[in-house]
Amino acid sequence: MPELLITLLTIGVVVGAIPGVCNYLILLERKLSAWMQDRIGPNRVGPMGLFQPLADGVKLLLKEDVIPPHVDKVLYVMAPALSVFTALMAFAVVPFGPVNDDTVPSFIRFIIAPNIDIGILFVFAIGSLGVYGIVLGGWASNNKYSALGALRASAQVVSYEIPLGMSVLGLALMSGTLNLESLMQQQVAGGFMNWNIWFQPLAALMFFTASLAEANRLPFDLAECEQELIGGWHTEYSALKWALFFLGEYTHMITISFLTSILFLGGWHLPFIAEATSAYPGLWLVKLLILSGKAFSFICLMIMLRWTIPRFRFDQLMELAWKVMIPLSLANLVMVMFCMHFEFSRWWLFVGSLALFAAWGTISANLREAELSARPGYVKRKKVAVADHDHGHAHGAHH
Amino acid sequence: MMDWFQSNPMTLVGLVLWAVGILWLMPAKHGGKPRSRILGLVLTAAGLVSFCLACGNPHSELANEVMFWVFGIGALLCGVLMITARNPVYAALWFALTTLATCGLFLLQSAPFLAAATIIVYAGAVIVTFLFVIMLAQQSGAAGYDQRSGQSVLATVAAFVFLGAIAMTLQTEKLDIEVRAVPVVAAVAEPAPAVGGMPGMPGIAVDLPIGAPATPPEPGNLLSVADADHPVGNLKGLGRSLFGDYLFAVELAGTLLLVACIGAIAIAPRREQGGL
């Protein structure tokens, strides 16, 4: 089968599957949220509410599509399309199953554009364009709340792009490539103890956090921020245009989860079940399921984080990016360079990452304490209280 | 025209099928009977597939040519629109499109890293910051001072001096580039079959005849010379070139940016808070 047809087929499958998957992710989000808040969640349409997404989809399609008279029409219509377009484009280089694998039938390929040398950089480049959807939507709506949301989004995305890129630099240095397929291959070849999370745990944490901010998920959803800004940049949107914004956001979530699983958790590798040496019929299906399962668990994590960590204040958000994550990722990079140059064991990176995390936490907590003590009316907390419910000063960095 | 059709019947069949399918999918005339969507979809898909099969290789010379013109004209057009746009937000957007078109040209020249870096830095950060500032400063439409040019003389002089410099460089360096390009191609093409076993890797010469009469030695760019371990053009080659041959320029640019950064931090706070 010619290459072109396979590519068309893959594109068709991806573009067809993602909206459906996103629809059910919304159901998952509502169900999980309900579970966390001791509610039942949607349960009216179909058994256990399983057809709720279909009903929602039909509703969004058939709803009246209002374009307010005071908007900039061209940009207003373009913004949701842009946000979906960029989110789907970024998915083009993400392998969502076993790639370069002989056991996979020849007409199936689990990546749209294989063998892109700059791999992860392409995702960042397209991802950085995603903010245009939000900024233009907010500006074109000609509404103060929308404009505020758009302003916040642009500042936030530009800031978090830096730690997002820098956290992966150490990984690129270690593996000598930015190609997602070969990054996966290297981890698979080395087995469970060669997963990148062992050597770059801090980078994994920062990558995940920064990509949450890039995707505008809680606790970083200041651009949307219902309590302050009504709906932020999408206040003026309705029906399918509104749905497209959320299709973009959920596609972004899917991309992030796949990327985190591929970069740090060994891709389709799972000890004893799918190793580099294992061979049994249907292995490629198992590999596909493992990679999707890892991605799925990250999506669940994101949804649960939503109800666990409260939303940041804007200055806290900026401090987290500029005062915590950027210096930390720089230090992490220097550490990797040091380790590689003197050819130390890679396990020192694990120790070093933990030490960095602890050191930065202590510094941040002390700085915070010093800043607070300069305020009028400051009362020093008692030691007992500290020992009682202040687990780990490392989290002081976030406050 | 007829000859082409006779030699490529599949292309014609595919095109016709595709066209009929699209025609079928168009909304029916007012009052007319609605047509079957499935039939239209099947026709369109069949036409598309057979057209793609007939066209075959997407890496063809023609595709390259077409993309070059699309990106080149696109960049130029968007640049003109950027200058002439009345609304600053639209100007910034045209600027973003110009950058994207330029990145397309980079991709055509097999420089994906440059393209990705340009998108990240310019389209992703700089223009977003422009939009940020425009939205902060002008929430009530375009201001009067956007409709006038402030430093028209200086701007014109600077632009044309720059243009002259580019023209001069291109004209004086033109011969040089041609001389350089020919022997490198020859050197790469000749030893490859002799070594054997690497037919699928053109452009990588195993033992490059350094000091051959046709290749003038380039003392400044020693690291950029391709060899088996370090092919020029991919990420590794670019890194070697940047941090080997052009280390001084890179460090200078870095220092300049650092100075600008410190300056911005010094200017930013209000005077009573310790600014300048």
Side-chain angles (χ1 to χ4, degrees):
Chain A
M1 215 145 127
E3 198 70 20
L4 191 60
L5 266 190
I6 299 181
T7 308
L8 280 179
L9 188 72
T10 322
I11 293 176
V13 169
V14 168
V15 172
I18 281 187
V21 172
C22 289
N23 246 338
Y24 272 89
L25 281 185
I26 293 177
L27 179 69
L28 176 77
E29 172 141 25
R30 293 178 63 184
K31 278 281 185 192
L32 261 181
S33 310
W35 175 69
M36 289 187 78
Q37 297 164 355
D38 206 7
R39 293 186 284 118
I40 296 174
N43 66 346
R44 294 285 108 180
V45 194
M48 297 187 303
L50 272 181
F51 298 140
Q52 182 71 43
L54 303 180
D56 283 346
V58 169
K59 178 197 77 178
L60 285 171
L61 275 171
L62 298 181
K63 240 178 157 179
E64 189 189 356
D65 192 10
V66 184
I67 299 184
H70 54 76
V71 301
D72 184 322
K73 237 178 216 150
V74 179
L75 296 184
Y76 180 84
V77 174
M78 211 172 75
L82 238 145
S83 94
V84 175
F85 171 75
T86 49
L88 284 175
M89 268 288 270
F91 201 74
V93 296
V94 179
F96 49 95
V99 281
N100 300 327
D101 195 326
D102 296 333
T103 58
V104 181
S106 66
F107 62 95
I108 300 180
R109 202 175 60 200
F110 293 112
I111 180 169
I112 293 175
N115 291 324
I116 303 280
D117 196 28
I118 52 167
I120 181 85
L121 216 59
F122 178 85
V123 180
F124 292 162
I126 301 297
S128 69
L129 295 182
V131 70
Y132 278 97
I134 296 177
V135 172
L136 292 184
W139 184 80
S141 295
N142 197 7
N143 170 326
K144 288 248 166 32
Y145 292 115
S146 302
L148 277 175
L151 277 180
R152 287 178 176 191
S154 56
Q156 174 182 333
V157 170
V158 168
S159 308
Y160 275 87
E161 237 158 54
I162 305 168
L164 185 71
M166 289 220 300
S167 59
V168 182
L169 269 188
L171 201 67
L173 210 63
M174 250 171 49
S175 318
T177 178
L178 286 173
N179 187 334
L180 284 168
E181 289 146 280
S182 35
L183 274 169
M184 191 150 83
Q185 220 69 39
Q186 282 181 11
Q187 295 176 71
V188 167
F192 181 57
M193 282 330 222
N194 211 21
W195 285 12
N196 281 328
I197 185 122
W198 298 118
F199 313 123
Q200 295 277 286
L202 189 57
L205 181 67
M206 285 191 296
F207 179 80
F208 188 67
T209 316
S211 38
L212 271 186
E214 288 270 293
N216 272 313
R217 287 287 304 177
L218 255 138
F220 300 105
D221 75 332
L222 280 116
E224 193 181 334
C225 208
E226 297 89 346
Q227 290 84 351
E228 300 167 22
L229 297 182
I230 306 175
W233 85 97
H234 61 67
T235 303
E236 298 280 1
Y237 281 87
S238 57
L240 201 60
K241 293 197 188 65
W242 180 86
L244 282 181
F245 271 130
F246 281 84
L247 181 61
E249 184 182 320
Y250 277 85
T251 310
H252 216 119
M253 273 169 75
I254 296 175
T255 312
I256 295 166
S257 332
F258 269 109
L259 275 183
T260 321
S261 326
I262 290 164
L263 288 175
F264 296 101
L265 288 183
W268 51 259
H269 181 269
L270 201 70
F272 308 120
I273 295 174
E275 303 249 19
T277 50
S278 52
Y280 48 84
L283 178 60
W284 63 272
L285 208 63
V286 175
K287 288 175 179 173
L288 175 67
L289 285 181
I290 289 174
L291 183 55
S292 317
K294 284 178 185 174
F296 180 75
S297 47
F298 271 114
I299 291 177
C300 289
L301 179 66
M302 278 182 221
I303 293 172
M304 303 219 284
L305 273 180
R306 173 174 184 168
W307 303 112
T308 310
I309 305 178
R311 188 184 285 130
F312 286 107
R313 223 169 48 206
F314 200 72
D315 60 323
Q316 292 170 338
L317 178 92
M318 284 294 150
E319 268 179 22
L320 181 63
W322 291 97
K323 294 189 184 168
V324 179
M325 287 175 56
I326 291 177
L328 260 185
S329 54
L330 255 181
N332 181 48
L333 182 66
V334 171
M335 192 173 70
V336 174
M337 277 156 71
F338 192 80
C339 224
M340 299 224 2
H341 184 78
F342 295 104
E343 295 179 347
F344 291 158
S345 161
R346 280 187 176 185
W347 286 100
W348 284 112
L349 287 176
F350 180 72
V351 181
S353 291
L354 293 190
L356 261 183
F357 188 72
W360 221 268
T362 320
I363 292 174
S364 311
N366 284 339
L367 280 179
R368 181 73 188 153
E369 199 68 25
E371 190 193 319
L372 281 182
S373 66
R375 288 188 189 168
Y378 170 77
V379 183
K380 192 169 169 48
R381 279 184 293 176
K382 284 186 181 123
K383 277 281 180 215
V384 189
V386 171
D388 195 7
H389 57 74
D390 199 357
H391 300 292
H393 272 182
H395 291 289
H398 294 198
H399 301 299
Chain B
M1 193 76 173
M2 280 318 289
D3 291 348
W4 181 77
F5 281 146
Q6 272 160 10
S7 54
N8 299 297
M10 273 296 275
T11 319
L12 186 60
V13 170
L15 272 179
V16 169
L17 272 181
W18 197 358
V20 171
I22 292 290
L23 198 66
W24 191 264
L25 281 178
M26 297 265 191
K29 264 188 214 143
H30 186 69
K33 231 172 49 181
R35 304 195 189 98
S36 153
R37 297 257 174 104
I38 310 279
L39 182 65
L41 276 181
V42 169
L43 277 177
T44 313
L48 187 60
V49 166
S50 49
F51 181 71
C52 288
L53 281 177
C55 282
N57 188 4
H59 307 288
S60 67
E61 193 66 22
L62 178 69
N64 206 355
E65 198 93 323
V66 168
M67 287 209 276
F68 171 77
W69 287 107
V70 167
F71 286 134
I73 293 176
L76 204 63
L77 202 68
C78 295
V80 170
L81 284 170
M82 172 188 110
I83 302 291
T84 51
R86 295 240 153 202
N87 189 333
V89 169
Y90 276 90
L93 288 180
W94 288 121
F95 185 23
L97 274 183
T98 313
T99 319
L100 288 184
T102 318
C103 289
L105 287 177
F106 287 156
L107 277 181
L108 281 183
Q109 299 292 323
S110 308
F113 177 79
L114 196 58
T118 311
I119 291 182
I120 291 176
V121 173
Y122 283 94
V126 172
I127 301 173
V128 173
T129 318
F130 282 176
L131 281 177
F132 181 87
V133 173
I134 293 168
M135 289 190 329
L136 257 189
Q138 313 183 343
Q139 283 173 353
S140 52
Y145 49 78
D146 277 326
Q147 317 289 336
R148 298 189 300 270
S149 55
Q151 299 282 354
S152 47
V153 179
L154 271 181
T156 316
V157 168
F160 278 84
V161 164
F162 187 59
L163 193 63
I166 292 177
M168 197 182 77
T169 321
L170 282 180
Q171 276 167 358
T172 49
E173 293 279 319
K174 201 175 164 195
L175 274 176
D176 218 16
I177 290 169
E178 276 167 2
V179 168
R180 233 183 275 165
V182 171
V184 168
V185 170
V188 168
E190 270 168 18
V195 173
M198 300 179 63
M201 300 172 70
I204 300 175
V206 171
D207 47 356
L208 209 93
I210 293 170
T215 21
E218 288 174 37
N221 281 4
L222 276 180
L223 284 170
S224 297
V225 176
D227 60 34
D229 296 334
H230 305 102
V232 169
N234 69 2
L235 222 51
K236 268 189 187 136
L238 186 73
R240 264 172 78 82
S241 189
L242 270 184
F243 289 95
D245 301 328
Y246 301 105
L247 182 64
F248 184 64
V250 169
E251 292 296 329
L252 202 66
T255 316
L256 200 66
L257 285 178
L258 183 66
V259 169
C261 201
I262 293 172
I265 291 170
I267 291 173
R270 294 194 193 94
R271 238 170 236 167
E272 56 269 30
Q273 289 170 3
L276 290 178

